[in-house]
């Protein structure tokens, strides 16, 4: 979770500062996430990459030669590790583990699990989640609030929200979901709640 969150922050800093060094650090963090857990860190990062490419004003930096080269090297790391260092010992098992998360045997159990997952998520952020929900329903959408008129906030909050929502949905809809799989999103969710 630490490595995945840090890689997303490094990507953001790379775009803010137009610095390939932050992309290098993001790649090292992604490699760390792969070595400590699994390939899923790349999915979190990839989603953040797509959102940043769609929303960030400095998105052209992602198409620069150093950025492309570093991202290709980062993408290649799991393959190099699997085939040359671990000699394929973990590659197929890792892919199989990810695929089993999307298989279900009991539809009724899956249905209730899908209903309860958002409640469990809100429970992890108590009491702040209840305060935020109360404020939202009482006052209306946050977008109507005057403080969101600042340029910086108009960019930052929607980007955080898109990264969280797009990364949350696959885990929510997965039959074998666990709340701990969302740990890389906890700091981003906390930032959104703190802002709200």
């Amino acid at each position: 979770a630490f490595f995945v969150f840090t890689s997303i922050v490094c990507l953001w800093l790379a775009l803010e500062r137009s610095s390939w060094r932050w992309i290098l650090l993001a790649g090292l963090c992604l490699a760390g996430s792969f070595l400590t857990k699994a390939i899923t860190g790349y999915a979190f990062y990839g989603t953040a990459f797509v959102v940043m490419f769609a929303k960030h004003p400095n998105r052209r930096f992602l198409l620069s030669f150093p950025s492309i080269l570093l991202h290709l090297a980062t993408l290649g790391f799991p393959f190099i590790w699997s085939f040359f260092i671990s000699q394929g010992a973990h590659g197929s098992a890792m892919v199989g583990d990810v695929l089993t998360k999307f298989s279900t045997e009991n539809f009724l159990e899956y249905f209730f699990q899908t209903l309860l997952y958002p409640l469990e998520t809100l429970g992890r952020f108590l009491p702040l989640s209840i305060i935020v929900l109360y404020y939202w329903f009482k006052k209306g959408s946050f977008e109507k609030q005057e403080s969101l008129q600042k340029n910086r906030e108009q960019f930052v909050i929607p980007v955080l929200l898109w990264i969280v929502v797009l990364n949350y949905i696959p885990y929510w809809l997965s039959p074998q979901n666990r709340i701990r799989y969302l740990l890389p999103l906890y700091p981003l969710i906390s930032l959104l709640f703190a802002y709200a």
Side-chain angles (χ1 to χ4, degrees):
F2 167 78
F3 284 126
V4 173
F5 170 69
T6 305
S7 70
I8 293 170
V9 170
C10 289
L11 173 66
W12 202 320
L13 286 170
L15 287 167
E16 292 291 320
R17 300 178 181 184
S18 297
S19 172
W20 59 268
R21 290 175 182 88
W22 287 105
I23 292 179
L24 175 62
L25 188 55
L28 292 172
C29 287
L30 273 180
S33 77
F34 170 74
L35 292 174
T36 55
K37 177 67 175 161
I39 195 86
T40 51
Y42 282 79
F44 284 104
Y45 183 86
T47 302
F49 183 96
V50 169
V51 171
M52 295 282 188
F53 189 77
K55 300 276 188 187
H56 200 283
N58 192 24
R59 67 179 67 100
R60 292 178 61 103
F61 177 73
L62 292 174
L63 299 177
S64 67
F65 180 73
S67 172
I68 292 171
L69 190 65
L70 288 169
H71 277 105
L72 287 175
T74 300
L75 284 173
F77 178 77
F79 298 104
I80 292 168
W81 178 268
S82 295
F83 293 110
F84 295 108
I85 298 174
S86 71
Q87 301 189 0
H90 299 97
S92 59
M94 199 177 310
V95 172
D97 185 45
V98 171
L99 291 177
T100 57
K101 301 277 190 268
F102 290 96
S103 62
T104 183
E105 294 178 5
N106 187 335
F107 181 76
L108 193 60
E109 184 180 310
Y110 170 66
F111 175 75
F112 284 115
Q113 183 176 313
T114 305
L115 287 178
L116 294 175
Y117 197 72
L119 295 175
E120 186 180 1
T121 307
L122 288 173
R124 296 291 172 147
F125 290 93
L126 286 172
L128 188 56
S129 57
I130 296 300
I131 295 168
V132 169
L133 285 175
Y134 171 78
Y135 181 79
W136 190 36
F137 286 118
K138 182 87 173 160
K139 301 286 186 184
S141 172
F142 293 123
E143 292 177 8
K144 295 176 185 174
Q145 304 305 318
E146 195 173 311
S147 62
L148 265 182
Q149 298 308 312
K150 299 175 186 173
N151 286 340
R152 196 93 185 118
E153 292 169 354
Q154 282 182 329
F155 162 71
V156 171
I157 300 306
V159 166
L160 282 174
L161 196 57
W162 275 109
I163 291 172
V164 167
V165 168
L166 291 177
N167 275 306
Y168 183 86
I169 289 172
Y171 288 98
W172 178 22
L173 299 180
S174 167
Q176 307 293 327
N177 60 20
R178 300 289 179 269
I179 201 71
R180 65 186 170 86
Y181 298 151
L182 296 178
L183 275 174
L185 299 180
Y186 276 31
L188 301 176
I189 295 169
S190 297
L191 285 170
L192 286 170
F193 280 176
Y195 174 79

